[in-house]
Amino acid sequence: MKYTLEDQVVLITGGSQGLGKEFAKKYYNETENTKIIVVSRSEAKLLDTCNEIRLAAHLRKETSDEGQVQHKLATPLDPVQRLFYFPCDLSCYESVENLFNVLRDFELLPTQTLCCAGGSVPKLFRGLSGQELNQGMDINYKTTLNVAHQLALAEQTREHHLIIFSSVTALYPFVGYSQYAPAKAAIKSLVAILRQELTNFRVSCVYPGNFESEGFTLEQVTKPKITKLIEGPSDAIPCKEACDIVATSLARGQDDVFTDFVGWMIMGMDLGLTSKRSRFVTLQWIFGILLNIVVVPFYLVGCSWYIRKWFRESDSKKAT
Ligand SMILES: NC(=O)C1=CN([C@@H]2O[C@H](COP(=O)(O)OP(=O)(O)OC[C@H]3O[C@@H](n4cnc5c(N)ncnc54)[C@H](OP(=O)(O)O)[C@@H]3O)[C@@H](O)[C@H]2O)C=CC1
Ligand SMILES: CCCCCCCCCCCCCCCC(=O)[C@@H](N)CO
């Protein structure tokens, strides 16, 4: 199944900001017929996003639509419009069921779905609240699980391209990401199973390294220093660059997508019983095996020594 932007109905979860919004812009600006539905919890943010995208296109004179009109998925639907929004907490199954009923009513069942909803609260395990821990699973796993299930039920025979956003932390979990990485690892596991079961689907999984977004700015505030140190090699790239890298990789037919070289390396080191469809996959595999033998054991020893030292030092600072 070829990845093309044009002539699609695309559902974007987490489309109100960050990478989801970047994709909404991309589809809106680079196609003529594709219909876009952005979903997130906050109606205010969704409305701002839709207006901003339409207004920018209007100012570039690519559309006569001034963009100050609401296009919530609700009756009556203006047939000329291509960008719609629908507020929905996707971690709640019933709400997702309702979303799909609305999509069905408007004949807007998607041909492509981008599951961008997600987000992390990077803190040390003891510093997290019960609510933050539960939200990690809700926001990062259940949003995707619920949407994937409703899609699977809605699309029994038609082809569908499901694009899911995990994280490099699914392949390499480390200090500070206890609220987040396990949920992203669960996504990796779900993807492997969906690829076997949903035979009329193309299921792609993106493992991004750091990129700039509203969510990223927020997580930097609580992120422990040790976490920043370890993830240093994955410098945040601009959101638009991440979006273009993902779109290009998908168009090349790759289904396990990374956004930086560190991500490619870490994916290569992740051997085991899940197949990889990524760029230079043979080289990645050989490189991964070599690194597992020659570098990983030393890296892990060095890393755990460094982490223990960091905790000793911060404990003694607290004591004084
Ligand atoms: N930025 C980074 O460095 C990296 C990000 N990623 C992943 O890539 C994806 C996009 O990241 P980024 O652009 O930074 O994300 P942001 O945090 O900037 O945006 C997250 C989006 O998800 C929506 N959302 C959150 N919870 C729910 C929910 N329960 N139901 C519906 N919508 C929800 C938010 O809107 P609202 O609040 O209105 O619900 C928002 O639109 C995420 O899955 C993230 O985990 C992976 C690796 C690195
Ligand atoms: C031989 C061994 C080499 C090991 C190199 C180690 C480099 C680690 C880079 C990890 C990058 C993690 C990015 C997480 C992004 C993310 O998901 C958050 N921004 C949450 O949103």
Side-chain angles (χ1 to χ4, degrees):
M1 199 181 304
K2 220 171 133 39
Y3 177 75
T4 41
L5 300 178
E6 190 60 276
D7 295 324
Q8 307 289 334
V9 178
V10 57
L11 175 68
I12 305 180
T13 80
S16 66
Q17 65 181 50
L19 193 59
K21 175 177 173 180
E22 200 61 51
F23 266 103
K25 264 191 234 169
K26 190 175 181 67
Y27 278 95
Y28 194 77
N29 295 335
E30 297 179 20
T31 69
E32 283 178 5
N33 302 319
T34 292
K35 294 195 169 74
I36 305 138
I37 306 120
V38 285
V39 180
S40 84
R41 290 164 303 184
S42 157
E43 178 155 10
K45 268 199 275 175
L46 285 168
L47 188 55
D48 278 354
T49 295
C50 290
N51 282 335
E52 184 193 318
I53 294 175
R54 284 202 207 91
L55 199 59
H58 175 72
L59 292 177
R60 287 196 312 270
K61 308 246 181 297
E62 286 161 18
T63 164
S64 55
D65 176 11
E66 281 182 48
Q68 293 305 327
V69 223
Q70 296 195 17
H71 291 299
K72 186 175 178 175
L73 268 190
T75 41
L77 205 62
D78 184 345
V80 186
Q81 292 310 322
R82 302 197 290 122
L83 179 60
F84 309 97
Y85 71 87
F86 193 84
C88 176
D89 183 346
L90 298 165
S91 64
C92 166
Y93 191 85
E94 287 72 31
S95 309
V96 178
E97 223 171 1
N98 175 48
L99 162 69
F100 274 79
N101 286 335
V102 174
L103 292 174
R104 211 172 277 118
D105 288 347
F106 288 117
E107 292 179 15
L108 279 175
L109 278 175
T111 57
Q112 289 178 354
T113 303
L114 284 89
C115 294
C116 297
S120 73
V121 184
K123 284 183 187 174
L124 297 180
F125 191 54
R126 288 197 179 95
L128 286 158
S129 68
Q131 195 203 7
E132 285 169 332
L133 285 172
N134 277 303
Q135 275 199 337
M137 216 57 183
D138 284 351
I139 293 180
N140 293 295
Y141 183 62
K142 286 202 195 154
T143 54
T144 296
L145 178 74
N146 293 340
V147 169
H149 189 246
Q150 276 296 305
L151 266 176
L153 295 178
E155 303 291 3
Q156 305 272 356
T157 50
R158 257 201 328 169
E159 290 198 328
H160 188 89
H161 192 176
L162 175 58
I163 301 150
I164 298 182
F165 289 79
S166 177
S167 157
V168 168
T169 59
L171 310 170
Y172 177 24
F174 54 90
V175 49
Y177 280 124
S178 57
Q179 186 254 8
Y180 173 76
K184 291 298 194 185
I187 284 193
K188 176 183 181 244
S189 169
L190 179 71
V191 164
I193 295 166
L194 296 186
R195 279 180 185 163
Q196 295 182 349
E197 290 196 25
L198 307 181
T199 48
N200 54 323
F201 276 51
R202 173 176 171 191
V203 185
S204 305
C205 191
V206 186
Y207 299 90
N210 284 314
F211 59 84
E212 286 156 10
S213 72
E214 288 88 336
F216 181 76
T217 306
L218 209 62
E219 73 183 51
Q220 288 302 86
V221 179
T222 61
K223 197 176 278 177
K225 240 198 204 110
I226 183 76
T227 308
K228 287 187 183 166
L229 278 168
I230 294 178
E231 69 179 22
S234 176
D235 223 359
I237 61 172
C239 200
K240 186 171 185 321
E241 193 180 328
C243 174
D244 290 340
I245 291 172
V246 173
T248 310
S249 303
L250 293 172
R252 283 191 183 123
Q254 283 133 34
D255 281 327
D256 291 289
V257 176
F258 47 86
T259 58
D260 55 23
F261 180 66
V262 179
W264 182 81
M265 258 187 3
I266 290 175
M267 199 186 287
M269 286 183 264
D270 179 69
L271 304 171
L273 284 176
T274 51
S275 61
K276 304 270 162 24
R277 282 169 249 165
S278 47
R279 190 144 204 236
F280 306 123
V281 68
T282 314
L283 188 67
Q284 184 184 38
W285 185 66
I286 295 170
F287 205 62
I289 290 174
L290 287 177
L291 283 177
N292 265 308
I293 297 169
V294 185
V295 185
V296 172
F298 301 100
Y299 174 82
L300 288 180
V301 169
C303 203
S304 63
W305 172 81
Y306 195 81
I307 292 170
R308 264 182 281 129
K309 175 168 160 279
W310 187 83
F311 272 105
R312 259 202 315 276
E313 283 172 6
S314 69
D315 285 349
S316 70
K317 246 186 252 157
K318 256 186 252 155
T320 55

